[in-house]
Amino acid sequence: MLSINRYLAIWYFILLYFLKGQIDVPRSIDSSLYFDIVHKDKVVGSLKASQKIEGSKVYYQSFTSIKIQIIKDIQVNYKYDVTFENKILKKTDVKITLNDKPHAETQTQWKDAQYKIAKNDKNEVVLKDNIDYSTILLYFEEPINIDRCYSEQDGSFNTIIPLGSHSYKKINSKGKENLYYYKKGVLKNTIIDGGLIHFQMIARE
């Protein structure tokens, strides 16, 4: 027969195992997407976009690197850090470097019931409407029934126009148009108007 002490020890471990299964331990859910940037059938760069979900907060990050020759070699890097909480944008930070030198930075932060937007450390704009969709979400969520998105880079709103067959046109504040193509809700291809050049971003399989 089991001694009382061993009997109690067994029940202790059973109870501990049961309680462990009942406790809601916060876990993060991570995912990453990779794209090749193509110009004239040649890969000239790459983009990595990542999403990290921790409870009510979602952290997004993207890093884009492009090297192309326009008269001379140009290396451009874009780094996005974006935070949503309860599906509302809370803050963004976009840094752009040109040939490894700081070129531009735009920050957006929700504070005192409004968004404060700073470009190159200079306060420029204040917005009071909640933002629930920004450009970085285009990598992760097909913009169904979305007619505009917030540009973290420009600190302005872009228009989104559905074209049918899960394709969309995004028009920025300067009138430049980008096209986005989805399959089963997943972004597969984009055509980007970069001003001097046009290029594609193609999802890696």
Side-chain angles (χ1 to χ4, degrees):
M1 294 180 64
L2 293 175
S3 67
I4 293 177
N5 287 339
R6 286 192 63 189
Y7 184 85
L8 291 175
I10 291 172
W11 273 105
Y12 172 79
F13 283 112
I14 291 174
L15 181 62
L16 185 64
Y17 179 81
F18 176 80
L19 289 176
K20 184 178 179 181
Q22 298 300 309
I23 297 174
D24 185 15
V25 179
R27 296 181 181 180
S28 64
I29 302 173
D30 302 348
S31 61
S32 296
L33 303 172
Y34 299 86
F35 297 83
D36 288 322
I37 299 173
V38 178
H39 176 61
K40 293 183 177 179
D41 299 322
K42 180 182 178 181
V43 176
V44 295
S46 63
L47 181 149
K48 176 186 176 182
S50 61
Q51 178 192 65
K52 184 175 184 179
I53 303 173
E54 291 186 347
S56 62
K57 291 186 177 181
V58 185
Y59 302 94
Y60 295 93
Q61 188 175 76
S62 72
F63 182 77
T64 306
S65 181
I66 302 172
K67 187 173 183 180
I68 196 166
Q69 189 175 51
I70 304 175
I71 302 177
K72 63 177 182 179
D73 287 339
I74 296 176
Q75 174 83 40
V76 185
N77 295 328
Y78 300 82
K79 186 175 183 293
Y80 282 54
D81 286 289
V82 181
T83 302
F84 278 76
E85 185 174 3
N86 294 319
K87 299 184 178 181
I88 299 298
L89 181 68
K90 291 300 180 180
K91 63 180 179 179
T92 76
D93 184 17
V94 178
K95 293 184 175 73
I96 303 173
T97 61
L98 180 61
N99 293 334
D100 295 324
K101 295 180 180 179
H103 178 67
E105 182 175 8
T106 303
Q107 295 174 310
T108 304
Q109 185 166 5
W110 177 258
K111 188 176 181 180
D112 300 326
Q114 61 186 3
Y115 291 103
K116 297 182 179 180
I117 302 168
K119 294 184 178 181
N120 301 318
D121 294 324
K122 295 180 181 179
N123 294 327
E124 292 200 1
V125 182
V126 172
L127 299 175
K128 294 188 176 181
D129 292 338
N130 285 341
I131 298 171
D132 57 13
Y133 197 95
S134 68
T135 55
I136 201 166
L137 268 67
L138 288 164
Y139 301 126
F140 296 93
E141 300 177 14
E142 181 176 349
I144 297 173
N145 298 323
I146 301 293
D147 59 9
R148 72 173 189 170
C149 66
Y150 177 73
S151 170
E152 303 93 338
Q153 181 178 330
D154 296 333
S156 61
F157 286 98
N158 293 181
T159 301
I160 297 178
I161 300 173
L163 302 176
S165 300
H166 301 283
S167 61
Y168 303 83
K169 178 190 294 185
K170 181 174 75 67
I171 306 173
N172 71 13
S173 59
K174 298 179 181 179
K176 293 180 180 178
E177 301 178 356
N178 298 340
L179 301 176
Y180 294 78
Y181 300 91
Y182 294 80
K183 184 177 181 180
K184 295 182 179 179
V186 178
L187 181 62
K188 291 296 183 180
N189 185 23
T190 72
I191 299 176
I192 306 296
D193 180 355
L196 292 176
I197 63 170
H198 289 66
F199 53 87
Q200 285 183 284
M201 288 200 311
I202 302 172
R204 295 179 187 174
E205 297 297 333

